């Protein structure tokens, strides 16, 4: 079987566990990873992470943002369930982010340095340099930066050229997948544009074709 | 039965569901609320909120910190499970915090404007005024401010005199319960100091006596 070289991460921001597992089973091989958010964990508990990880890499988008000890407990549970990656905030500070990296072990930590919604202009955007600095010091694997703000994306890429960038903000939030990849993203996050499509498998393959020849 | 007028919120930062339920059953009447964090939800799912709410008010310390749509999904699930309160970050911006307040309905929203760990000096502390402003605009019920930083606590109280203040940082993190109450806290959060005590019920009553005659 040909290994698909996908840049596509599918966000399953849903409460429906059966739908999520069925979706992962059908489409897992065609994508880079499935992104699991708190809603699914709230319904099923963290075992949903290992269930979905049977079919695809999983990235737990938990936006971890607590004191070091609580961050550690959350990250340990993520690691225990076999996730491929986990998303943590950097704004709560260096010690909190380092606690995630340490407890995550082999699980790759992505830290949020910029976000895709309007409210990120209130505080997150003006903290960009500090957030990147805290992330580099904590030795994270990658960064979260918005695919719907290409100027911000290029800035982040320039500040941390060796780090993988995972980008939300595509589709419903206005960003274009190919523009994001061309401007620094390594992986793009898409949700409803794929899982609400009448033929999600075909839609994912369409994205893969669109993105396969774009390099930043 | 005499209604206990407690200022004590017990943090159950544990993975052990049976222990948590048993603890709540035994001590629920003696305290103001139980604070539920992600670890318990990761093990049991969000139904742990309704289980523990049978014995005590519950405050879900989820440090919600995502885009408005995801914040809404998380807050809806909290409300559906009958929580008394929920804790959200303000740092991610006005629209995200407003989404929590709106989706939470009758559930009281506390927003984090200051934290109790050293890393909060990296970015959170210098954003205090903005965080309080965002919280007031979003019409939250109360604020989270550290019981182990009395100067910060007084500042927060002065900036938002009408709002309830819930304070972590007591005990293991160095703060004193009575000093926190005297300097602006309405409720203090204690964890291991109570649930690791050989007689948690007596320990909780001790805290209640200590705090009953202190007014800020």
């Amino acid at each position: 079987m040909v290994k698909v070289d996908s840049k596509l991460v599918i966000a399953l921001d849903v409460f429906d566990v059966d739908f999520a597992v069925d979706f992962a089973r059908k489409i897992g091989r065609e994508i880079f990873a499935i992104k699991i958010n708190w809603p699914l964990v709230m319904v099923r508990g963290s075992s949903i992470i290992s269930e979905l990880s049977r079919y695809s890499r999983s990235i737990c988008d938990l936006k971890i943002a607590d004191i070091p000890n609580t961050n550690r407990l959350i990250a340990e549970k993520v690691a225990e369930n076999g996730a491929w990656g986990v998303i943590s905030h950097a704004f709560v500070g260096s010690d909190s982010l380092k606690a995630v990296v340490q407890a995550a072990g082999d699980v790759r930590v992505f830290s949020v340095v910029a976000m895709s919604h309007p409210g990120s202009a209130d505080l997150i955007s003006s903290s960009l340099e500090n957030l990147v600095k805290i992330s580099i010091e904590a030795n994270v694997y990658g960064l979260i930066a918005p695919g719907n703000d290409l100027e911000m994306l290029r800035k982040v890429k320039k500040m941390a050229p060796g780090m993988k960038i995972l980008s939300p903000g595509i589709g419903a939030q206005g960003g274009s997948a190919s523009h994001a990849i061309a401007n620094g993203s390594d992986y793009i996050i898409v949700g409803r544009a794929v899982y609400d499509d009448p033929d999600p498998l075909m839609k994912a393959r369409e994205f893969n074709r669109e993105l396969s020849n774009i390099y930043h």
Side-chain angles (χ1 to χ4, degrees), chain A residues 138-169:
Chain A
N139 201 23
V140 299
Y141 176 82
L143 303 173
I144 305 294
N148 57 351
D149 182 344
L150 300 180
E151 198 188 324
M152 178 68 86
L153 189 55
R154 285 193 299 269
K155 251 194 235 175
V156 172
K157 188 69 187 172
K158 205 172 164 186
M159 292 168 83
M163 281 193 188
K164 295 287 183 192
I165 297 181
L166 172 59
S167 294

Side-chain angles (χ1 to χ4, degrees), chain A residues 45-122:
Chain A
S46 52
S47 65
I48 188 69
I49 301 166
S50 47
E51 282 178 78
L52 295 178
S53 297
R54 292 170 56 195
Y55 306 109
S56 164
R57 295 180 190 89
S58 66
I59 298 176
C60 298
D61 185 6
L62 307 184
K63 302 273 194 315
I64 306 176
D66 215 313
I67 62 171
N69 190 53
T70 311
N71 277 11
R72 178 181 61 77
L73 294 175
I74 297 171
E76 279 174 7
K77 209 62 178 167
V78 166
E80 190 185 309
N81 279 282
W84 181 87
V86 65
I87 298 176
S88 178
H89 268 297
F91 76 77
V92 284
S94 185
D95 53 358
S96 286
L97 186 57
K98 282 176 183 166
V100 173
V101 172
Q102 195 174 1
D106 293 338
V107 181
R108 293 140 195 93
V109 177
F110 290 81
S111 76
V112 177
V113 297
M115 293 179 81
S116 57
H117 63 301
S120 58
D122 291 349

Side-chain angles (χ1 to χ4, degrees), chain A residues 25 41 54 73 101 105 127 129 137 157 182 189 216:
Chain A
R25 196 174 48 77
V41 176
R54 292 170 56 195
L73 294 175
V101 172
S127 310
E129 284 190 24
E137 279 172 14
K157 188 69 187 172
I189 300 165
H216 54 247

